Amino acid sequence: MHVSTLVGKDPSANIAELVMAEAYRRIGRVLVVHKLPGERTLMMANEGRMDGELYRKVGMEREYPNLMIVPVPLLTYEIVIFTRGTEFVVNGWESLRPFSIGYVRGIKIVKENTVGMKTEAVPTMEQAFQKLSMGRTDIVVGNRLSGLAAAETLSIDDVRALSPALASFPVYHYVNKKHAALVPALAAALQAMKADKTIDKLQKQGARGAMP
């Protein structure tokens, strides 16, 4: 099964890949993940050029009708604000309006909630943090785990995540509808992995950056 996800180093993607690789193994399939820029990942999965999308929030089928959700969450995804000295009270998305905002192209929740604001979309979290460190943007908005990983990769040690998170939600695996027959088996495998604590173990492993 060839599935797509966003390009870039992201512990959330590590976790999702570890979890789904095991789920596919349990139903006799092999998972191959392809990292693509921006919305190409969703478009290719929707068009059937990929067999699915590694992980996204609930409801993607409304815009990409050929995608089918596997209804067992893989992990919780947190969207937070990263700054290097810019301090303000976080009171929802509207509190971002005075600032220039960097984010990773293809993260739809950020794009949808910053319409009309000063934004700069880039291909990877590392590039977003480079622009932040050069003063090209005031803040970066994105996934907590991937932001912390990018800061570590770039050795930027004065970045911090503001509280509270802008959003926190479970994410799910999607398959192209040509693989609809796999959904019940994948859901059953994931439920079994939840029950036997495999998902918990893989979440910890993926957060540390460990990959097979």
Side-chain angles (χ1 to χ4, degrees):
M1 290 288 287
H2 293 265
V3 306
S4 49
T5 194
L6 285 168
V7 71
K9 180 182 175 184
D10 183 353
S12 295
N14 288 358
I15 293 167
E17 183 171 347
L18 287 166
V19 171
M20 288 314 304
E22 174 61 15
Y24 276 109
R25 188 193 69 76
R26 291 188 182 197
I27 67 166
R29 299 286 183 116
V30 175
L31 175 71
V32 180
V33 175
H34 300 262
K35 296 197 171 186
L36 303 172
E39 290 191 35
R40 272 182 60 198
T41 171
L42 282 163
M43 290 168 57
M44 289 184 72
N46 188 60
E47 291 166 5
R49 289 187 283 163
M50 288 285 162
D51 295 312
E53 172 77 13
L54 183 59
Y55 71 106
R56 289 280 176 164
K57 65 178 182 174
V58 73
M60 300 309 295
E61 68 281 357
R62 289 194 290 272
E63 192 170 345
Y64 300 92
N66 292 328
L67 296 183
M68 295 183 67
I69 194 169
V70 179
V72 181
L74 308 182
L75 66 144
T76 298
Y77 198 93
E78 270 192 303
I79 299 290
V80 298
I81 302 159
F82 295 97
T83 80
R84 294 182 76 220
T86 302
E87 298 288 337
F88 59 98
V89 175
V90 180
N91 185 21
W93 293 93
E94 192 57 31
S95 58
L96 308 185
R97 190 168 293 278
F99 306 103
S100 56
I101 306 157
Y103 74 97
V104 176
R105 188 177 295 116
I107 300 183
K108 298 182 76 63
I109 188 171
V110 180
K111 181 180 179 182
E112 290 163 359
N113 283 282
T114 56
V115 172
M117 299 185 195
K118 186 180 177 185
T119 60
E120 186 158 358
V122 294
T124 69
M125 187 61 94
E126 284 83 0
Q127 286 169 279
F129 272 64
Q130 284 167 340
K131 288 182 182 291
L132 178 69
S133 66
M134 291 187 292
R136 296 273 297 276
T137 56
D138 299 318
I139 59 176
V140 169
V141 177
N143 173 257
R144 182 188 296 276
L145 288 175
S146 59
L148 294 174
E152 184 179 351
T153 297
L154 297 170
S155 299
I156 304 173
D157 49 20
D158 59 346
V159 167
R160 75 184 199 91
L162 301 183
S163 292
L166 289 166
S168 180
F169 48 88
V171 291
Y172 301 83
H173 184 57
Y174 283 82
V175 297
N176 185 279
K177 66 182 183 182
K178 67 186 178 184
H179 297 296
L182 295 180
V183 171
L186 283 171
L190 288 168
Q191 290 285 13
M193 289 167 62
K194 199 171 172 184
D196 66 18
K197 306 293 184 187
T198 300
I199 288 181
D200 288 347
K201 183 184 80 175
L202 294 176
Q203 285 176 344
K204 292 187 180 98
Q205 185 181 333
R208 294 193 304 268
M211 288 296 296

